[in-house]
Amino acid sequence: MIPELGYFSLTLAMVLSVLLCIFPLWGAHTGNLRLMRAAPSLAIGQFVFVLLSFAALVYASLTDDFTVSYVAYHSSSTLPWYYKITSTWGGHEGAILLWLVMQAGWTAVVAMRSQSLPWVLRARVLGVLGFLGVGFMLYTLLMSSPFERLLPYFPVEGRDLNPLLQDPGMIIHPPLLYMGYVGLSVSFSFAIAALLTGKLDNTWAKWSRPWTMTAWGFLTLGITIGSWWAYSELGWGGWWFWDPVENASLMPWLVATALLHSLSTTEKRGVFKSWTVLLAIAAFSLSLLGTFIVRSGIIVSVHAFASDPNRGMFILAFLAMVVGGGLSLYALRVSQVKSEGRYKFASREVVLWLNNIFLVVATLIVLLGTLLPMIHKELGLGSISIGEPFFNKMFAILLVPFAILMGMGPLLRWKQNKWSMLQNKFALSAVVSLVATAAWLYSSYDVIAPITFIATALAVWIVVTTVVDLAAKVTIHKTLGEGFKRLGLSYWAMVLGHVGLAFVIAGVTLTSAYSVERDVSMKPGDTVALNEYQYRFDGVKSIRGANYSGHAGVVTVLKNDKQVTVLHAEKRRYDIGMQFMTEAAVDAGFTRDLYLALGEQLSQGAWSLRIYHKPYVRWMWLGGILISLAGFLVLGDKRYRQKSTKQEASA
């Protein structure tokens, strides 16, 4: 009965979504205020019924209702309760329902937090969000319902959740990622509504920017948690593996990063308006493209969700409708969009625009490398592979000018700058960066490749220029306290974002250059050395979990004959499905990780083990967290919490 109520709730939400698509858009077109004012109530009602539908699926999973096909295929009675909840988005149908919750949630929040917008714009934004909701609800009800029954014959036990997904990272990674994907639909809706209204001024950018920053913050955090999961569960090393599913999330992130910088420029200087609108359309379109890649069955990946071509064709058709409609409207209205501000070559506007170009080029490289093998195969031309060397080489080339410009940006003023006033700042920052990098690397390592030095110096350069700019802004006031107090949250968001990226660059560079691994065969009592650590194998003990059993290899790590830690690397066999999984043991540190994986049992009581020493690998995730905080920090900026002026509201 509960699953049927879940399906019924989703159907009611679909009805409200159709009305949300029609009423406000028609009301805005005809000037009917009553129809426009219905939009917030419809949006909130839609969210309530989608949430009820999702709660019904969670209830079915928690109560082991294996008459529900989705629960039977993705859960079991032996799963811990928190993984039963996780199982509701562990498969394709449940993941789409979670996407709907996010979509309806964003729409409801926009409805409640946009009272200051003019009714015409507010109605059109919510109408476009309603249209997107209709598309995904149709997809769920017609092709991906998680409420189908297995009656009268149903299993007494479920098939269990994929062991790869039974990890703390997968509890929070998908919801965060979806919050980012779907949040970009708000930026898209603002762009389409502004094009429909024909009013693309600085105020539009101001309204759109906090929503974009928030979505970008969620997407950054989701990608960061996903990277950490791949490191701990799959042993992918923490750095990008260039898996197609990973790339599907990187593409909208790159364009969203360009978008939020472009929105800032449009808001403050009134330039790049048409470019900003195009980025808003592209960012959400790439989110939909990523959904198509993951769920169409055209790729093989450890976390691709579906292999049903019909589902892929539905998403492809919806993608064509959204992108085609958005670009057509853009083509019709772009001639009416004119930038107002003026600027010289040596200005912050030019630096931001150039970095926008680099980000878009990076996106096209990822797009090419991800789609070309698929297209080649679908055309019957055989299989080709574009792998890690291609991506790493192309990104290394782009990184140098991008990081240099990123460091220069905060030191430049809007409109124009005099080179004579900048050269000392740039020269001092460059010298400090080179000296600090040399002191850091040569005191830590014997061999330093030129590419390692350059990449590390770029990370240091970004930090140094940020600090120079911060010092300049703080010291112009009478006291340091007053100087810090006058800095807005948007400025601190910039500082966090830039420093966070510097951490990511340094982490990727140093862990790629100086990670060491060693495969060994050890008997109890044996000791091996790796870098300055000694690893003593103490033997293997049996383990038993809620739904698995297995062995744990116990290894004591020593440094200078003093115990550092004891690692327990597990080899699990899950009771249902009899799948074997390796759970690595990690001793995490600020400047290094000690990573241990237990292999197979060998003859004469020996076991195979793989030992890694990964310097600075945590900096990548620390950087990701700092960058995501930048996205959320903007929400506290008083400029976005103030009510619009009467002039704006009546516009």
Side-chain angles (χ1 to χ4, degrees), residues 331-360:
L332 288 172
R333 294 296 179 91
V334 70
S335 60
Q336 302 174 17
V337 182
K338 294 181 180 177
S339 295
E340 299 164 356
R342 296 288 181 267
Y343 52 89
K344 301 290 185 180
F345 180 75
S347 65
R348 186 178 292 184
E349 287 94 329
V350 171
V351 168
L352 289 173
W353 182 76
L354 287 173
N355 268 5
N356 261 228
I357 298 298
F358 283 121
L359 288 166
V360 171

Side-chain angles (χ1 to χ4, degrees), residues 80-358:
W81 66 269
Y82 43 89
Y83 285 136
K84 288 182 179 178
I85 295 176
T86 306
S87 72
T88 55
W89 56 80
H92 168 74
E93 294 84 354
I96 288 293
L97 186 58
L98 178 66
W99 179 293
L100 273 181
V101 173
M102 302 299 180
Q103 178 78 55
W106 274 101
T107 306
V109 174
V110 171
M112 291 186 290
R113 301 288 298 174
S114 60
Q115 297 95 331
S116 59
L117 296 185
W119 265 112
V120 172
L121 179 61
R122 188 183 184 191
R124 283 176 169 154
V125 169
L126 292 174
V128 174
L129 285 170
F131 169 78
L132 298 174
V134 170
F136 281 104
M137 286 187 200
L138 267 179
Y139 178 64
T140 307
L141 290 169
L142 298 179
M143 310 191 75
S144 299
S145 171
F147 299 111
E148 291 184 1
R149 292 281 198 178
L150 290 172
L151 293 174
Y153 306 108
F154 59 91
V156 295
E157 182 56 274
R159 291 186 180 179
D160 209 5
L161 179 65
N162 184 341
L164 280 173
L165 306 182
Q166 296 181 38
D167 182 89
M170 292 307 288
I171 296 176
I172 53 177
H173 163 60
L176 290 172
L177 203 62
Y178 291 178
M179 282 291 284
Y181 280 153
V182 179
L184 292 176
S185 70
V186 179
S187 310
F188 172 83
S189 300
F190 266 97
I192 297 299
L195 285 171
L196 288 170
T197 308
K199 190 174 177 60
L200 280 157
D201 56 12
N202 304 20
T203 311
W204 164 77
K206 181 180 177 181
W207 284 325
S208 183
R209 192 179 172 208
W211 297 101
T212 305
M213 291 288 289
T214 307
W216 178 79
F218 277 117
L219 188 56
T220 307
L221 199 54
I223 291 172
T224 302
I225 299 294
S227 171
W228 172 72
W229 168 78
Y231 168 79
S232 60
E233 196 69 17
L234 303 177
W236 281 7
W239 170 228
W240 213 253
F241 200 71
W242 302 111
D243 177 83
V245 176
E246 284 187 328
N247 294 347
S249 64
L250 181 61
M251 289 185 283
W253 185 86
L254 289 169
V255 175
T257 305
L259 172 61
L260 60 93
H261 285 89
S262 190
L263 278 170
S264 171
T265 312
T266 301
E267 177 192 347
K268 294 175 180 174
R269 298 284 303 128
V271 295
F272 308 155
K273 291 179 180 177
S274 57
W275 173 252
T276 304
V277 173
L278 191 60
L279 287 176
I281 295 173
F284 182 61
S285 298
L286 287 169
S287 290
L288 289 181
L289 178 64
T291 307
F292 167 71
I293 291 173
V294 174
R295 300 177 189 284
S296 61
I298 62 174
I299 61 167
V300 177
S301 169
V302 294
H303 42 196
F305 271 97
S307 57
D308 185 346
N310 291 326
R311 290 172 173 173
M313 289 307 297
F314 186 103
I315 298 174
L316 190 61
F318 187 58
L319 173 65
M321 191 181 300
V322 171
V323 177
L327 292 180
S328 298
L329 184 61
Y330 176 80
L332 288 172
R333 294 296 179 91
V334 70
S335 60
Q336 302 174 17
V337 182
K338 294 181 180 177
S339 295
E340 299 164 356
R342 296 288 181 267
Y343 52 89
K344 301 290 185 180
F345 180 75
S347 65
R348 186 178 292 184
E349 287 94 329
V350 171
V351 168
L352 289 173
W353 182 76
L354 287 173
N355 268 5
N356 261 228
I357 298 298
F358 283 121

